[in-house]
Each structure stands twice: as C-alpha cells, then as structure tokens.
C-alpha cells in the first residue's frame, strides 16, 4: 500500500483500495476457475476480484504483465541458476550470434537447475507418491522434464540466463496472460499489456544482462527509464510479489473450507491424487512445519475444475475417464 499510495500522491491521481477478507476465496474459487476454464497454479482469484472492482469504473486498463519476464525481474531465479552452473557469463548475449549464424545450441548444464525451479508444486521425486497408479498410467510417457528439455533445445541462446528467460516466457508468462485475459474479459474488462509491445521486446532482447540485473537488483534499465516519473521509493524498491497471504489464511479462517474440499473420500473419488500424500501435505502446512501453499491451491483449484466440468469423478480405468 505504501508504494501505490506514494505514486498516487506524487502524480495527483485518484487511488481506490480494495481490501479482501480471509474468506474471499470461498465465494470466488468456483467463478474464478470457471472463467479460466482450467486449473491454474497461481492464486488467480485475487485477479478476478480486482477485475470485478475495476470494471465498475473502466472498460479498458493497462497491466504490467510481462515486465519481469522480458526485462529481468526475477533476480532470485537468475542467481540460483548462476550458482548452480559454472562459467555463466556476467553479461552479453553471445548465444544470439549462434542464432544469426544458424547454429543450434548443444545440451546445456542449465537443465538440472531449471528442472528444480519448475518442479513444483509436486517435485519429480514425489510424483509416484502424489498420483495414483491409474492416473500415472493414463499420463503415459509424459514428463515435465521433457517439456523443459524441448524448450532448451529450441532456445536460440546458450547463455543460461537467456535460457531461463526463454523458458519463463514460454511457460510462466503464457499462464499469466491466460489469467490476465480470461479474468478481465469475464468482467467485460479489456486489459492491455504495454510492456509486451513488440518493439519493447525487440529492444529488451538487445540489452546485455548487466543492464537488466546486477545480481541483487532486477529490471535496472526499466527502473532508470521511469525514474523521473515516480517517487524514488518506487524506483528503488526491491522486487515484491503481488498475492494474498494465503499461506497463513489456510491455517486460520480458511482451514475448515480447505479441509472440507480435500477430504480423503473426495480425493479418492477423483482418482488422481493419493489421499495419504494430500493428507500429509495438509497436516504439515497447518501445523506450520512446511509451506504447501502452491500445492494446496493447485489441489483446490483442480477440485473446483472437476466440479465445474464433471471430469475425474471416478476410476480412470473405466469408460468414465476423460481425456
């Protein structure tokens, strides 16, 4: 709040604050997943609530979606890759020369750290514990690691940070755009994404990495570009996510709702997740020994999607299985 209030005061613009209560999720879950038409891993119900409120006053809005993926905002992820991979260049985009010369990158050492970054909410080592044998059979030979490897193979750069940005853009950003588009349009609101303008993307791809991040600060070029327009407290502020404190809310007012959706009987009826795995995750989160927020949200959004679509209501080994 302090940052958005500072901008509103500096620019002399009206600011509307929408405060969500702990039980907002209860009423918002099914409409959110219904609008998305598929389960999503991010706590997207907040986006739906914002779009609903904004639509009372406007029909077209500007969104900052894509700025982190294109302009180097995920410093923690880049540094994780750098620490895991030896010989990561500090700047430059040497791999783009390979693209111009028509050379294809070879196998890269960035694969392992990327697999670790993308291996959630169910890590690969826990897949057989998390999913039923019937569901694993229905999934065939699909493996998330193959998807990541395919992206690395097609990436035009051999610079590990470039490869991470490429994968983030092809996966995470795609999911963000689905959320942005579907939840805004569900409320007859058009959200435009100026940071994903083609010319801006083309410019960003020419910037060396030390202009994007110095290892502790992200989006350096972007910060400097807007410095004259916003208070210093905003231009210099550290990276912050934008989401509700659901991890603590699940342990508090929302715990009965969460446990009611994820009972062993209900999990068994879906035939997808192992009830023991879900029970352990819930217990460890509720007693504070672990943070299972991404997994729990994924489970309840999946359950809501099942209720909406009528999918996964029984055995996957029978005619009741839906592709």
């Amino acid at each position: 709040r302090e940052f958005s209030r500072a901008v509103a005061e500096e620019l002399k613009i009206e600011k509307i604050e929408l405060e969500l209560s702990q039980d907002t999720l209860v009423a918002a879950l099914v409409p959110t997943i219904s609008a998305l038409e598929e389960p999503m891993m991010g706590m997207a119900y907040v986006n739906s609530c914002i779009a609903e409120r904004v639509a009372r006053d406007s029909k077209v809005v500007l969104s900052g979606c894509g700025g982190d993926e294109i302009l180097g905002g995920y410093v923690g992820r880049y540094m994780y890759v750098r620490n895991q991979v030896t010989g990561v260049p500090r700047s430059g985009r040497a791999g783009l020369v390979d693209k111009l010369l028509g050379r294809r990158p070879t196998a890269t050492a960035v694969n392992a750290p990327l697999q670790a970054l993308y291996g959630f909410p169910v890590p690969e080592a826990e897949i057989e514990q998390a999913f039923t044998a019937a569901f694993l059979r229905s999934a065939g030979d699909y493996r998330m690691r193959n998807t990541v490897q395919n992206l690395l193979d097609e990436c035009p750069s051999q610079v590990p940070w470039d490869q991470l940005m490429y994968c983030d853009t092809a996966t995470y950003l795609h999911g963000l755009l689905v959320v942005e588009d579907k939840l805004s349009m569900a409320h007859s609101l058009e959200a435009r994404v100026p940071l994903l303008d083609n010319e801006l993307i083309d410019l960003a791809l020419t910037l060396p990495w030390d202009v994007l991040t110095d290892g502790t600060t992200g989006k350096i070029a972007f910060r400097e570009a807007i410095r004259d327009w916003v208070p210093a407290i905003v231009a210099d502020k550290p990276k912050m996510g934008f989401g509700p404190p659901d991890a603590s809310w699940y342990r508090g007012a929302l715990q009965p709702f969460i446990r009611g959706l994820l009972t062993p009987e209900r999990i068994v009826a879906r035939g997808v997740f192992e009830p023991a795995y879900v029970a352990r995750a819930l217990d460890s989160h509720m007693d504070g020994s672990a943070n299972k927020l991404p997994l729990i949200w994924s489970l309840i959004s999946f359950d809501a999607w099942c209720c909406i679509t009528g999918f996964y209501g029984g055995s996957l080994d029978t005619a009741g299985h839906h592709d």
Side-chain angles (χ1 to χ4, degrees):
R1 287 181 178 178
E2 65 174 306
F3 299 110
S4 57
R5 286 173 177 172
V7 171
E9 181 177 351
E10 177 82 8
L11 302 181
K12 303 297 188 289
I13 57 177
E14 181 183 5
K15 178 176 181 294
I16 298 173
E17 294 186 359
L18 174 65
E19 185 170 323
L20 304 183
S21 62
Q22 289 194 36
D23 61 356
T24 300
L25 171 64
V26 176
L29 177 61
V30 169
T32 299
I33 302 302
S34 180
L36 291 173
E37 301 177 287
E38 59 185 313
M40 299 292 286
M41 202 192 69
M43 278 64 74
Y45 75 94
V46 174
N47 302 67
S48 181
C49 293
I50 293 173
E52 181 181 26
R53 175 61 187 87
V54 172
R56 299 181 196 171
D57 305 312
S58 305
K59 289 304 176 185
V60 181
V61 293
L62 301 181
S63 164
C65 189
D68 287 319
E69 289 79 11
I70 301 302
L71 296 168
Y74 296 133
V75 178
R77 296 166 67 77
Y78 310 142
M79 295 312 296
Y80 174 80
V81 171
R82 169 178 282 177
N83 293 337
Q84 296 294 316
V85 180
T86 58
V88 176
R90 290 192 171 275
S91 65
R93 280 198 153 93
L96 296 183
V97 176
D98 289 345
K99 178 183 179 183
L100 294 175
L101 297 177
R103 294 198 295 262
R104 300 294 298 169
T106 58
T108 172
V110 80
N111 189 301
L114 274 187
Q115 298 290 355
L117 282 174
Y118 288 164
F120 70 96
V122 179
E124 186 175 31
E126 298 178 8
I127 286 178
E128 291 190 1
Q129 306 170 41
F131 296 100
T132 64
F135 180 76
L136 291 176
R137 286 195 298 272
S138 73
D141 60 359
Y142 172 80
R143 293 293 182 272
M144 182 275 295
R145 66 169 39 254
N146 295 337
T147 299
V148 173
Q149 184 59 62
N150 290 339
L151 289 172
L152 291 175
D153 290 342
E154 68 184 36
C155 179
S157 172
Q158 295 183 59
V159 177
W161 280 3
D162 284 352
Q163 293 171 321
L164 175 53
M165 177 179 280
Y166 185 87
C167 290
D168 279 346
T169 302
T171 58
Y172 191 62
L173 178 57
H174 174 268
L176 292 178
L177 289 173
V178 168
V179 169
E180 191 76 58
D181 184 55
K182 290 191 174 182
L183 293 184
S184 60
M185 293 308 295
H187 298 287
S188 300
L189 180 70
E190 180 179 340
R192 296 178 179 173
V193 285
L195 295 184
L196 293 177
D197 179 87
N198 287 339
E199 293 182 357
L200 182 55
I201 292 175
D202 290 342
L203 172 63
L205 290 175
T206 69
L207 299 177
W209 268 102
D210 54 8
V211 173
L212 299 179
T213 177
D214 58 10
T216 56
T217 302
K219 295 198 289 192
I220 294 175
F222 182 73
R223 290 172 185 270
E224 295 308 312
I226 54 91
R227 185 172 294 279
D228 291 341
W229 303 340
V230 298
I233 190 178
V234 172
D236 295 325
K237 81 177 186 68
K239 166 70 179 169
M240 298 174 64
F242 185 74
D246 275 17
S248 60
W249 286 0
Y250 288 178
R251 299 183 182 109
L254 287 174
Q255 184 168 170
F257 175 70
I258 300 295
R259 289 194 178 277
L261 287 181
L262 303 178
T263 63
E265 295 77 16
R266 198 175 180 108
I267 298 298
V268 169
R270 298 294 180 209
V272 174
F273 291 95
E274 285 289 353
Y277 181 83
V278 174
R280 288 194 300 271
L282 286 178
D283 290 343
S284 65
H285 184 88
M286 300 309 179
D287 66 19
S289 61
N291 184 351
K292 297 293 185 179
L293 171 60
L295 175 61
I296 294 175
W297 164 262
S298 297
L299 290 168
I300 63 175
S301 62
F302 171 69
D303 186 81
W305 178 77
C306 289
C307 291
I308 295 164
T309 62
F311 283 6
Y312 294 112
S315 172
L316 300 183
D317 293 323
T318 68
H321 169 52
H322 296 262
D323 292 327

